[in-house]
Amino acid sequence: MTDSLAELQAAVDAFVDERDWVQFHAPKNLAMGVAVEAAEIMEHFLWCSTEASFALDERKRAEVADEIGDVLIFLLELGRALDIDIVAAARDKLVANREKYPVEKAKGRATKYVDFD
Amino acid sequence: MTDSLAELQAAVDAFVDERDWVQFHAPKNLAMGVAVEAAEIMEHFLWCSTEASFALDERKRAEVADEIGDVLIFLLELGRALDIDIVAAARDKLVANREKYPVEKAKGRATKYVDFD
Amino acid sequence: MTDSLAELQAAVDAFVDERDWVQFHAPKNLAMGVAVEAAEIMEHFLWCSTEASFALDERKRAEVADEIGDVLIFLLELGRALDIDIVAAARDKLVANREKYPVEKAKGRATKYVDFD
Amino acid sequence: MTDSLAELQAAVDAFVDERDWVQFHAPKNLAMGVAVEAAEIMEHFLWCSTEASFALDERKRAEVADEIGDVLIFLLELGRALDIDIVAAARDKLVANREKYPVEKAKGRATKYVDFD
């Protein structure tokens, strides 16, 4: 897998700056953008069963990759607009999730932590 | 900014595997997860103006970072389930966007490419 | 089922007006509201299989009903802000869908019309 | 405004039944459908300011009406699949909201009830 996110961030920033689009990139709009593109990923899975969702044909898989790319691009721009390091944010969240979902309670269960007994 | 995504991916994978959660991580479910978390980012911006969305107070900013982390975690797991390199997907998308939005047509305009004259 | 939507619309309008909330109810914000609440419906179905999604326990069913109510409330307010009759909009869409999905092509298939052969 | 929802529900049900689509209409899928169409409404407002979102041109307004129709159709089908009366759900929610947002606290403020002082 591609490791460097900094290079991608720089490329996305340059793309936006060259087009003078920072004026449109308010966090509110970028948050909507993330959600719009997330829904476009989801649309590809609307009618398939959970099992079938693993086995996309090549065309569908390319389309899903395309939408995943869009989500990541918007997420990077949102992080930039709010000065949030998205990788650090995910890492912090993972730390919190380890607390909320200890292995002995969460193993093999899709229960939300608020419903643990 | 944190550069290495590979390290985060490994940590997320380990978190999921330790809890035996791969069984729930069908692409259909993960796509829903990305969308659910994207909406949770968005909820923080629901009633504020686009201008005010830049100036979050510290509590809100931390909450938004939290949700951004969730989106990235789900996105990484979706990429894993479908064997899609999410950074490569974003880079490819950027190449396509440069074609669709040439600087001379797109500069300073938020028009969708299908509506270019 | 409850037939009258006009009564509900009047109640929602009164609720909003009494609180002087029209100032926040720009179509952009209301569209976000519909999407945020739609995601909250979806969250209840995140980890269950399609089959299990029919058989919610009573608590979950009440929570889903609650979120469905939110989506409809935002949708009515969006219709009001844009002067769009949401029932007429759905009826018109159904007419268009009958054209796009003729019974002989669509019967028993979840294929999108653009992919009909 | 069109008052009768029962007639629309019957028309949507007939549309679905004629195509033998009930098999695809698991609540999980319909919840995704609501969210996907909600995002399509939202896409029309992605880059506009909150003020400009009131003043759509005729083409955009028709497109938004189209997506609103889709959300309502999916919402009706979701209600049907779960035997939830969507209008009653909204009415019940409004009762709850009157409690959570008393006029004297909520008037002119977009604050979430959990943040009332």
Side-chain angles (χ1 to χ4, degrees):
Chain A
M1 113 171 245
T2 312
D3 193 31
S4 175
L5 207 54
E7 207 178 321
L8 176 62
Q9 177 88 58
V12 173
D13 291 356
F15 176 82
V16 171
D17 293 344
E18 279 163 19
R19 280 154 192 79
D20 198 14
W21 279 357
V22 172
Q23 60 183 310
F24 305 119
H25 282 203
K28 180 173 176 124
N29 293 353
L30 296 169
M32 288 176 81
V34 174
V36 164
E37 300 302 334
E40 293 188 4
I41 297 178
M42 205 164 53
E43 199 183 349
H44 292 284
F45 299 107
L46 187 46
W47 300 119
C48 75
S49 66
T50 46
E51 301 77 42
S53 73
F54 282 102
L56 303 180
D57 62 41
E58 268 318 292
R59 195 192 64 172
K60 275 236 169 210
R61 213 171 140 278
E63 288 169 356
V64 169
D66 208 64
E67 308 298 356
I68 286 177
D70 277 328
V71 171
L72 185 53
I73 288 170
F74 271 115
L75 208 60
L76 285 167
E77 284 304 287
L78 180 59
R80 179 198 194 191
L82 292 171
D83 197 21
I84 288 172
D85 179 326
I86 71 169
V87 173
R91 214 165 32 205
D92 291 350
K93 192 58 193 271
L94 211 52
V95 172
N97 283 346
R98 281 198 202 95
E99 292 273 311
K100 286 202 282 190
Y101 295 96
V103 173
E104 62 276 16
K105 289 207 167 182
K107 192 160 190 173
R109 301 170 64 198
T111 313
K112 209 172 173 178
Y113 70 95
V114 289
D115 293 326
F116 282 154
D117 33 46
Chain B
M1 105 171 250
T2 312
D3 193 32
S4 175
L5 208 54
E7 208 178 320
L8 175 62
Q9 176 88 58
V12 174
D13 292 355
F15 175 82
V16 171
D17 292 345
E18 279 163 19
R19 280 153 192 80
D20 199 13
W21 279 357
V22 172
Q23 58 182 310
F24 305 119
H25 283 203
K28 180 174 177 125
N29 293 353
L30 296 168
M32 288 175 81
V34 174
V36 164
E37 300 302 335
E40 294 188 3
I41 298 177
M42 205 164 53
E43 199 182 348
H44 292 284
F45 299 107
L46 187 46
W47 301 119
C48 74
S49 66
T50 47
E51 300 77 44
S53 73
F54 281 101
L56 302 180
D57 63 40
E58 268 317 292
R59 195 190 67 171
K60 275 238 171 207
R61 212 171 140 277
E63 288 170 355
V64 169
D66 209 62
E67 309 299 355
I68 286 177
D70 277 329
V71 171
L72 185 54
I73 288 171
F74 270 115
L75 208 60
L76 285 168
E77 283 305 285
L78 180 59
R80 180 200 194 189
L82 292 171
D83 198 21
I84 288 172
D85 179 327
I86 71 169
V87 174
R91 213 166 32 207
D92 291 350
K93 193 59 194 270
L94 211 52
V95 172
N97 283 346
R98 282 197 201 95
E99 292 274 310
K100 285 202 282 190
Y101 295 96
V103 172
E104 63 275 16
K105 291 207 167 183
K107 192 158 190 175
R109 301 171 63 197
T111 313
K112 209 172 174 179
Y113 69 96
V114 290
D115 293 325
F116 282 153
D117 33 46
Chain C
M1 109 172 248
T2 312
D3 193 32
S4 175
L5 207 55
E7 208 178 320
L8 176 63
Q9 176 87 58
V12 173
D13 292 356
F15 176 83
V16 171
D17 293 344
E18 280 163 19
R19 281 155 191 79
D20 198 12
W21 280 358
V22 172
Q23 59 184 309
F24 305 119
H25 282 201
K28 180 172 176 127
N29 292 354
L30 295 168
M32 287 175 82
V34 174
V36 164
E37 300 302 335
E40 294 189 3
I41 298 178
M42 205 164 54
E43 199 182 349
H44 292 284
F45 298 107
L46 187 47
W47 301 119
C48 74
S49 67
T50 47
E51 300 77 43
S53 72
F54 282 102
L56 303 180
D57 63 40
E58 268 318 293
R59 195 191 66 172
K60 274 237 170 208
R61 213 171 140 277
E63 288 169 355
V64 169
D66 209 63
E67 308 299 355
I68 286 178
D70 278 330
V71 172
L72 185 54
I73 288 170
F74 271 116
L75 208 60
L76 285 168
E77 284 305 286
L78 180 59
R80 179 199 195 190
L82 292 170
D83 198 21
I84 288 172
D85 179 327
I86 71 170
V87 174
R91 215 166 31 206
D92 291 350
K93 193 57 194 272
L94 211 52
V95 171
N97 283 346
R98 281 198 202 96
E99 292 274 311
K100 285 202 282 191
Y101 295 96
V103 173
E104 62 275 17
K105 288 207 168 181
K107 192 159 189 173
R109 301 170 64 197
T111 313
K112 209 172 173 177
Y113 69 95
V114 289
D115 293 326
F116 282 153
D117 34 46
Chain D
M1 110 171 245
T2 311
D3 193 33
S4 175
L5 208 54
E7 207 179 320
L8 176 63
Q9 176 88 59
V12 173
D13 292 355
F15 176 82
V16 171
D17 293 344
E18 279 163 19
R19 280 155 192 79
D20 199 14
W21 280 357
V22 172
Q23 59 183 310
F24 305 119
H25 283 202
K28 180 173 177 127
N29 294 353
L30 295 169
M32 288 174 80
V34 174
V36 165
E37 300 302 335
E40 294 189 2
I41 297 178
M42 205 164 53
E43 199 182 348
H44 292 284
F45 299 106
L46 188 45
W47 300 119
C48 73
S49 67
T50 47
E51 300 77 43
S53 73
F54 282 101
L56 303 181
D57 63 40
E58 269 318 292
R59 194 190 69 171
K60 274 238 171 207
R61 212 171 141 277
E63 288 170 355
V64 169
D66 208 63
E67 308 299 355
I68 287 178
D70 277 330
V71 172
L72 185 54
I73 288 171
F74 270 116
L75 207 60
L76 285 168
E77 284 305 285
L78 181 58
R80 178 199 195 190
L82 292 171
D83 198 20
I84 288 171
D85 180 326
I86 69 170
V87 174
R91 215 165 33 205
D92 291 351
K93 193 57 194 272
L94 211 52
V95 171
N97 283 346
R98 281 198 201 95
E99 292 274 311
K100 285 201 283 190
Y101 295 96
V103 172
E104 62 276 15
K105 290 208 167 183
K107 193 159 188 172
R109 301 170 63 198
T111 313
K112 210 174 172 177
Y113 69 95
V114 291
D115 293 326
F116 283 153
D117 34 47

